[in-house]
Amino acid sequence: MKYILTILTLSVLLTSCGKDKKITVEKALESNNLEIIRKKRAELVDEQQLIHDKIVRLDEKISVLDTTKNVPLITTIKATQEEFNHVLELQGNVTTKDLMIITPEYSGILTHVYVKEGQRVSKGQSLGKIDDGGLSQQLAQQQIQTDLAQTTFERQKRLWDQKIGSEIQYLQAKSTYEGQVEAVNQIKQQIAKTIVKAPFSGTIDAVISEQGSVVAAGQTQLMRIVNLDNMYIETEVPERHLKNITVGKDVEVNFPILGKTLLAKVRQTSNVINPSNRTFKAEIGIPNKEGTFKPNLTARLKINDYTNENAILIAQSIISENAEGEQYVYVVKDKDDKNQGTATRVIIKTGRTQGDLIEVLEGIEPDAELINEGARSVKDGQTVEVLILDNEQND
């Protein structure tokens, strides 16, 4: 019975196929017959291949008729000449030659301190006094003996001028007097060393030894004095820049802590190369009328070490390199009225870099149209279309 029903179903489907020529996918699935389903699948595979062949033929015809096929869209930039100032970035410290720790010239007790921290002082002003250990009394006694020697000498001189007395008496009196004068001067010089004086005009930054302290000549630190008017920045420059970093070069000085930037110049360079790190020192003078800059303050320096008034600068991102290590860019040539042209590879020679820009020394002429966006995807001799950006249209 089951076999009879299958034969009847198949007969109905074949009759339908005879009328419609082709059975639908839905009817093939409803038949639940493996042979019919396989036959329908084979028909669809044949149709799929036929459609693919037709598409290939259509694509071949399109490729012949469509002249814009495989023309990439790119953007370009014009090579222009401009002044290029290359800078060397360094770090330096603020310092001054007028910064000193004052030590005594005489040993003894520090009896007086005449100044306090933050006080302005002038060159030669007395800052402190050290007990002279009895030198004042010695000076007084020596002065009495000197006065007596002077009186004796003057009398002997008058007598000698009148040809009275012997020459030896005159010479002895003169020698005694001159010896006493020298002795007095020596004691005065020793007493002068007990007075601590300012070596230059400035500010007392710190009083280190208190009044009543015992101090030793050349050893004990009494106070620190600094003059903030004559400030400068000291930095170490690699020796390879010896020819470029010279006196008078412009310097941009930035103080990160203060958030300040100022322009200055190199005022001095060292004539000696440090053998340990192969650097030489450079000084950059800075104005400090307001006393803003302090010794040992960190500064960032940008020193102009190279200038090209007619440099061609391009972005490093558009430069490629070939297997021989040569650098090249693409230039658009023979551009028509549809903004289509030919991408031409040009070998270039580059110089110094500054940020994202690099100097082109050879290979590119002014006003050349360089491929910017799309430079990595084009090929030499390929037709390209230059995309006009909105800002260029406005220009």
Side-chain angles (χ1 to χ4, degrees), residues 100-291:
M100 181 181 291
I101 298 293
I102 299 176
T103 57
E105 297 183 84
Y106 194 84
S107 299
I109 299 175
L110 183 63
T111 57
H112 296 86
V113 176
Y114 302 130
V115 294
K116 58 183 179 180
E117 294 181 357
Q119 180 178 337
R120 291 281 299 178
V121 295
S122 302
K123 182 179 180 179
Q125 180 177 335
S126 297
L127 308 178
K129 177 71 171 66
I130 300 172
D131 180 52
D132 58 22
L135 286 179
S136 298
Q137 290 79 2
Q138 293 180 30
L139 177 62
Q141 294 174 4
Q142 198 69 35
Q143 188 64 54
I144 294 173
Q145 295 177 11
T146 301
D147 293 341
L148 176 60
Q150 181 181 9
T151 301
T152 303
F153 167 66
E154 290 174 351
R155 287 180 180 180
Q156 283 298 130
K157 186 176 184 303
R158 284 196 298 270
L159 291 173
W160 177 248
D161 290 341
Q162 298 172 10
K163 306 299 181 180
I164 301 173
S166 64
E167 183 179 5
I168 191 65
Q169 289 176 325
Y170 166 72
L171 294 176
Q172 286 177 344
K174 180 181 179 182
S175 177
T176 301
Y177 170 61
E178 290 177 349
Q180 286 299 125
V181 171
E182 184 64 26
V184 169
N185 289 335
Q186 288 181 358
I187 295 176
K188 286 182 178 179
Q189 289 177 4
Q190 289 296 103
I191 293 176
K193 292 181 179 180
T194 66
I195 305 297
V196 181
K197 295 185 177 182
F200 51 81
S201 298
T203 303
I204 301 300
D205 189 56
V207 175
I208 302 172
S209 297
E210 300 294 334
Q211 185 171 305
S213 303
V214 178
V215 297
Q219 299 181 13
T220 307
Q221 297 183 356
L222 300 182
M223 53 194 71
R224 181 169 60 243
I225 182 173
V226 61
N227 185 348
L228 298 181
D229 296 334
N230 185 24
M231 304 293 289
Y232 66 96
I233 298 172
E234 186 176 77
T235 185
E236 294 185 341
V237 185
E239 66 175 349
R240 64 179 180 275
H241 299 288
L242 184 62
K243 292 183 178 180
N244 299 323
I245 305 302
T246 56
V247 175
K249 284 287 186 178
D250 294 329
V251 184
E252 180 182 301
V253 184
N254 175 258
F255 300 94
I257 299 299
L258 302 178
K260 287 189 175 182
T261 300
L262 56 86
L263 298 178
K265 291 183 179 295
V266 176
R267 76 177 189 183
Q268 182 179 343
T269 57
S270 175
N271 295 318
V272 178
I273 303 296
N274 187 338
S276 62
N277 57 9
R278 312 307 304 173
T279 63
F280 64 94
K281 290 185 178 181
E283 292 183 6
I284 297 93
I286 54 174
N288 195 29
K289 295 182 179 180
E290 299 178 357

Side-chain angles (χ1 to χ4, degrees), residues 53-116:
D53 293 340
K54 291 179 179 179
I55 292 175
V56 170
R57 291 171 60 195
L58 292 172
D59 287 342
E60 291 175 351
K61 195 64 176 177
I62 290 174
S63 64
V64 174
L65 300 177
D66 188 3
T67 58
T68 63
K69 184 179 92 61
N70 294 330
V71 177
L73 294 177
I74 52 95
T75 62
T76 59
I77 55 175
K78 280 289 184 69
T80 58
Q81 290 183 319
E82 57 185 292
E83 184 177 84
F84 175 46
N85 292 306
H86 184 269
V87 295
L88 173 65
E89 297 187 13
L90 299 171
Q91 183 169 301
N93 292 320
V94 177
T95 186
T96 176
K97 288 182 170 61
D98 295 336
L99 174 62
M100 181 181 291
I101 298 293
I102 299 176
T103 57
E105 297 183 84
Y106 194 84
S107 299
I109 299 175
L110 183 63
T111 57
H112 296 86
V113 176
Y114 302 130
V115 294
K116 58 183 179 180

Side-chain angles (χ1 to χ4, degrees), residues 359-370:
E359 176 190 25
V360 179
L361 302 177
E362 297 178 5
I364 297 178
E365 297 296 330
D367 296 327
E369 195 168 2
L370 308 177

